[in-house]
PDB file of all heavy atoms in Angstrom:
ATOM      1  N   ASP B  67      79.266  99.185 138.311  1.00 75.00           N
ATOM      2  CA  ASP B  67      79.134  98.891 139.721  1.00 75.00           C
ATOM      3  C   ASP B  67      78.984  97.407 140.050  1.00 75.00           C
ATOM      4  O   ASP B  67      79.353  96.975 141.144  1.00 75.00           O
ATOM      5  CB  ASP B  67      77.902  99.634 140.285  1.00 75.00           C
ATOM      6  CG  ASP B  67      78.183 101.145 140.373  1.00 75.00           C
ATOM      7  OD1 ASP B  67      79.371 101.505 140.286  1.00 75.00           O
ATOM      8  OD2 ASP B  67      77.214 101.912 140.484  1.00 75.00           O
ATOM      9  N   GLU B  68      78.426  96.610 139.113  1.00 72.00           N
ATOM     10  CA  GLU B  68      78.143  95.207 139.409  1.00 72.00           C
ATOM     11  C   GLU B  68      79.413  94.358 139.510  1.00 72.00           C
ATOM     12  O   GLU B  68      79.369  93.180 139.889  1.00 72.00           O
ATOM     13  CB  GLU B  68      77.149  94.619 138.429  1.00 72.00           C
ATOM     14  CG  GLU B  68      77.687  94.399 137.042  1.00 72.00           C
ATOM     15  CD  GLU B  68      77.219  95.450 136.064  1.00 72.00           C
ATOM     16  OE1 GLU B  68      77.076  96.639 136.452  1.00 72.00           O
ATOM     17  OE2 GLU B  68      77.005  95.094 134.853  1.00 72.00           O
ATOM     18  N   PHE B  69      80.577  94.922 139.156  1.00 78.00           N
ATOM     19  CA  PHE B  69      81.849  94.212 139.271  1.00 78.00           C
ATOM     20  C   PHE B  69      82.583  94.604 140.521  1.00 78.00           C
ATOM     21  O   PHE B  69      82.557  95.770 140.908  1.00 78.00           O
ATOM     22  CB  PHE B  69      82.723  94.507 138.070  1.00 78.00           C
ATOM     23  CG  PHE B  69      82.197  94.073 136.772  1.00 78.00           C
ATOM     24  CD1 PHE B  69      81.362  94.873 136.003  1.00 78.00           C
ATOM     25  CD2 PHE B  69      82.530  92.823 136.264  1.00 78.00           C
ATOM     26  CE1 PHE B  69      80.855  94.473 134.785  1.00 78.00           C
ATOM     27  CE2 PHE B  69      82.062  92.385 135.009  1.00 78.00           C
ATOM     28  CZ  PHE B  69      81.222  93.210 134.293  1.00 78.00           C
ATOM     29  N   GLU B  70      83.274  93.640 141.125  1.00 80.00           N
ATOM     30  CA  GLU B  70      84.206  94.017 142.213  1.00 80.00           C
ATOM     31  C   GLU B  70      85.504  94.487 141.514  1.00 80.00           C
ATOM     32  O   GLU B  70      86.013  93.870 140.605  1.00 80.00           O
ATOM     33  CB  GLU B  70      84.517  92.846 143.180  1.00 80.00           C
ATOM     34  CG  GLU B  70      84.891  91.526 142.499  1.00 80.00           C
ATOM     35  CD  GLU B  70      85.272  90.424 143.497  1.00 80.00           C
ATOM     36  OE1 GLU B  70      86.330  90.584 144.104  1.00 80.00           O
ATOM     37  OE2 GLU B  70      84.539  89.450 143.592  1.00 80.00           O
ATOM     38  N   THR B  71      86.050  95.601 141.954  1.00 86.00           N
ATOM     39  CA  THR B  71      87.337  96.092 141.437  1.00 86.00           C
ATOM     40  C   THR B  71      88.279  96.357 142.597  1.00 86.00           C
ATOM     41  O   THR B  71      87.804  96.678 143.684  1.00 86.00           O
ATOM     42  CB  THR B  71      87.138  97.374 140.605  1.00 86.00           C
ATOM     43  OG1 THR B  71      86.433  98.318 141.386  1.00 86.00           O
ATOM     44  CG2 THR B  71      86.436  97.132 139.321  1.00 86.00           C
ATOM     45  N   PRO B  72      89.587  96.338 142.387  1.00 91.00           N
ATOM     46  CA  PRO B  72      90.230  95.935 141.106  1.00 91.00           C
ATOM     47  C   PRO B  72      89.999  94.480 140.811  1.00 91.00           C
ATOM     48  O   PRO B  72      90.001  93.606 141.716  1.00 91.00           O
ATOM     49  CB  PRO B  72      91.727  96.181 141.395  1.00 91.00           C
ATOM     50  CG  PRO B  72      91.880  96.233 142.860  1.00 91.00           C
ATOM     51  CD  PRO B  72      90.539  96.664 143.433  1.00 91.00           C
ATOM     52  N   LEU B  73      89.761  94.160 139.546  1.00 90.00           N
ATOM     53  CA  LEU B  73      89.388  92.825 139.100  1.00 90.00           C
ATOM     54  C   LEU B  73      90.512  92.218 138.238  1.00 90.00           C
ATOM     55  O   LEU B  73      90.655  92.579 137.078  1.00 90.00           O
ATOM     56  CB  LEU B  73      88.099  92.881 138.282  1.00 90.00           C
ATOM     57  CG  LEU B  73      87.667  91.561 137.652  1.00 90.00           C
ATOM     58  CD1 LEU B  73      87.379  90.492 138.701  1.00 90.00           C
ATOM     59  CD2 LEU B  73      86.409  91.778 136.811  1.00 90.00           C
ATOM     60  N   PRO B  74      91.317  91.304 138.788  1.00 93.00           N
ATOM     61  CA  PRO B  74      92.261  90.618 137.938  1.00 93.00           C
ATOM     62  C   PRO B  74      91.566  89.651 137.021  1.00 93.00           C
ATOM     63  O   PRO B  74      90.570  88.998 137.399  1.00 93.00           O
ATOM     64  CB  PRO B  74      93.144  89.846 138.923  1.00 93.00           C
ATOM     65  CG  PRO B  74      92.898  90.480 140.255  1.00 93.00           C
ATOM     66  CD  PRO B  74      91.481  90.913 140.212  1.00 93.00           C
ATOM     67  N   LEU B  75      92.058  89.563 135.792  1.00 92.00           N
ATOM     68  CA  LEU B  75      91.491  88.673 134.782  1.00 92.00           C
ATOM     69  C   LEU B  75      92.674  88.043 134.058  1.00 92.00           C
ATOM     70  O   LEU B  75      93.615  88.739 133.695  1.00 92.00           O
ATOM     71  CB  LEU B  75      90.682  89.483 133.792  1.00 92.00           C
ATOM     72  CG  LEU B  75      90.324  88.822 132.471  1.00 92.00           C
ATOM     73  CD1 LEU B  75      89.106  87.973 132.668  1.00 92.00           C
ATOM     74  CD2 LEU B  75      90.118  89.836 131.380  1.00 92.00           C
ATOM     75  N   ALA B  76      92.608  86.731 133.862  1.00 93.00           N
ATOM     76  CA  ALA B  76      93.773  86.028 133.248  1.00 93.00           C
ATOM     77  C   ALA B  76      93.355  85.196 132.089  1.00 93.00           C
ATOM     78  O   ALA B  76      92.210  84.730 132.007  1.00 93.00           O
ATOM     79  CB  ALA B  76      94.479  85.202 134.320  1.00 93.00           C
ATOM     80  N   ILE B  77      94.318  84.975 131.165  1.00 92.00           N
ATOM     81  CA  ILE B  77      94.176  83.867 130.228  1.00 92.00           C
ATOM     82  C   ILE B  77      94.900  82.723 130.889  1.00 92.00           C
ATOM     83  O   ILE B  77      96.062  82.823 131.267  1.00 92.00           O
ATOM     84  CB  ILE B  77      94.794  84.197 128.876  1.00 92.00           C
ATOM     85  CG1 ILE B  77      93.977  85.301 128.138  1.00 92.00           C
ATOM     86  CG2 ILE B  77      94.880  82.950 127.992  1.00 92.00           C
ATOM     87  CD1 ILE B  77      94.555  85.737 126.847  1.00 92.00           C
ATOM     88  N   MET B  78      94.187  81.587 131.050  1.00 93.00           N
ATOM     89  CA  MET B  78      94.725  80.466 131.814  1.00 93.00           C
ATOM     90  C   MET B  78      94.776  79.200 130.961  1.00 93.00           C
ATOM     91  O   MET B  78      93.927  79.005 130.090  1.00 93.00           O
ATOM     92  CB  MET B  78      93.792  80.135 132.985  1.00 93.00           C
ATOM     93  CG  MET B  78      93.344  81.399 133.729  1.00 93.00           C
ATOM     94  SD  MET B  78      94.111  81.391 135.339  1.00 93.00           S
ATOM     95  CE  MET B  78      93.488  79.871 135.972  1.00 93.00           C
ATOM     96  N   ASP B  79      95.774  78.366 131.237  1.00 95.00           N
ATOM     97  CA  ASP B  79      95.748  77.019 130.709  1.00 95.00           C
ATOM     98  C   ASP B  79      95.229  76.080 131.845  1.00 95.00           C
ATOM     99  O   ASP B  79      95.819  76.020 132.886  1.00 95.00           O
ATOM    100  CB  ASP B  79      97.143  76.593 130.282  1.00 95.00           C
ATOM    101  CG  ASP B  79      97.467  77.070 128.843  1.00 95.00           C
ATOM    102  OD1 ASP B  79      96.541  77.642 128.216  1.00 95.00           O
ATOM    103  OD2 ASP B  79      98.581  76.869 128.379  1.00 95.00           O
ATOM    104  N   VAL B  80      94.089  75.490 131.552  1.00 95.00           N
ATOM    105  CA  VAL B  80      93.420  74.646 132.574  1.00 95.00           C
ATOM    106  C   VAL B  80      93.516  73.199 132.098  1.00 95.00           C
ATOM    107  O   VAL B  80      92.982  72.823 131.075  1.00 95.00           O
ATOM    108  CB  VAL B  80      91.949  75.062 132.748  1.00 95.00           C
ATOM    109  CG1 VAL B  80      91.261  74.172 133.802  1.00 95.00           C
ATOM    110  CG2 VAL B  80      91.871  76.524 133.196  1.00 95.00           C
ATOM    111  N   PRO B  81      94.204  72.314 132.896  1.00 97.00           N
ATOM    112  CA  PRO B  81      94.399  70.885 132.424  1.00 97.00           C
ATOM    113  C   PRO B  81      93.116  70.091 132.454  1.00 97.00           C
ATOM    114  O   PRO B  81      92.148  70.427 133.164  1.00 97.00           O
ATOM    115  CB  PRO B  81      95.375  70.327 133.509  1.00 97.00           C
ATOM    116  CG  PRO B  81      95.775  71.450 134.408  1.00 97.00           C
ATOM    117  CD  PRO B  81      94.806  72.588 134.184  1.00 97.00           C
ATOM    118  N   GLN B  82      93.083  69.036 131.664  1.00 97.00           N
ATOM    119  CA  GLN B  82      92.042  68.054 131.730  1.00 97.00           C
ATOM    120  C   GLN B  82      92.333  67.115 132.892  1.00 97.00           C
ATOM    121  O   GLN B  82      93.505  66.790 133.191  1.00 97.00           O
ATOM    122  CB  GLN B  82      91.977  67.218 130.470  1.00 97.00           C
ATOM    123  CG  GLN B  82      91.819  68.012 129.199  1.00 97.00           C
ATOM    124  CD  GLN B  82      91.890  67.084 127.987  1.00 97.00           C
ATOM    125  OE1 GLN B  82      91.144  66.135 127.868  1.00 97.00           O
ATOM    126  NE2 GLN B  82      92.812  67.355 127.063  1.00 97.00           N
ATOM    127  N   THR B  83      91.340  66.604 133.558  1.00 96.00           N
ATOM    128  CA  THR B  83      91.528  65.644 134.649  1.00 96.00           C
ATOM    129  C   THR B  83      92.194  64.375 134.133  1.00 96.00           C
ATOM    130  O   THR B  83      92.933  63.733 134.858  1.00 96.00           O
ATOM    131  CB  THR B  83      90.190  65.260 135.324  1.00 96.00           C
ATOM    132  OG1 THR B  83      89.284  64.826 134.312  1.00 96.00           O
ATOM    133  CG2 THR B  83      89.583  66.439 136.046  1.00 96.00           C
ATOM    134  N   SER B  84      91.971  64.020 132.860  1.00 94.00           N
ATOM    135  CA  SER B  84      92.506  62.804 132.290  1.00 94.00           C
ATOM    136  C   SER B  84      93.810  62.994 131.533  1.00 94.00           C
ATOM    137  O   SER B  84      94.275  62.118 130.897  1.00 94.00           O
ATOM    138  CB  SER B  84      91.464  62.244 131.319  1.00 94.00           C
ATOM    139  OG  SER B  84      91.126  63.230 130.365  1.00 94.00           O
TER     140      SER B  84
END
Side-chain angles (χ1 to χ4, degrees):
Chain B
D67 290 344
E68 70 258 35
F69 295 88
E70 51 174 291
T71 52
L73 175 62
L75 165 83
I77 291 176
M78 313 251 302
D79 276 356
V80 179
Q82 305 175 54
T83 52
S84 54

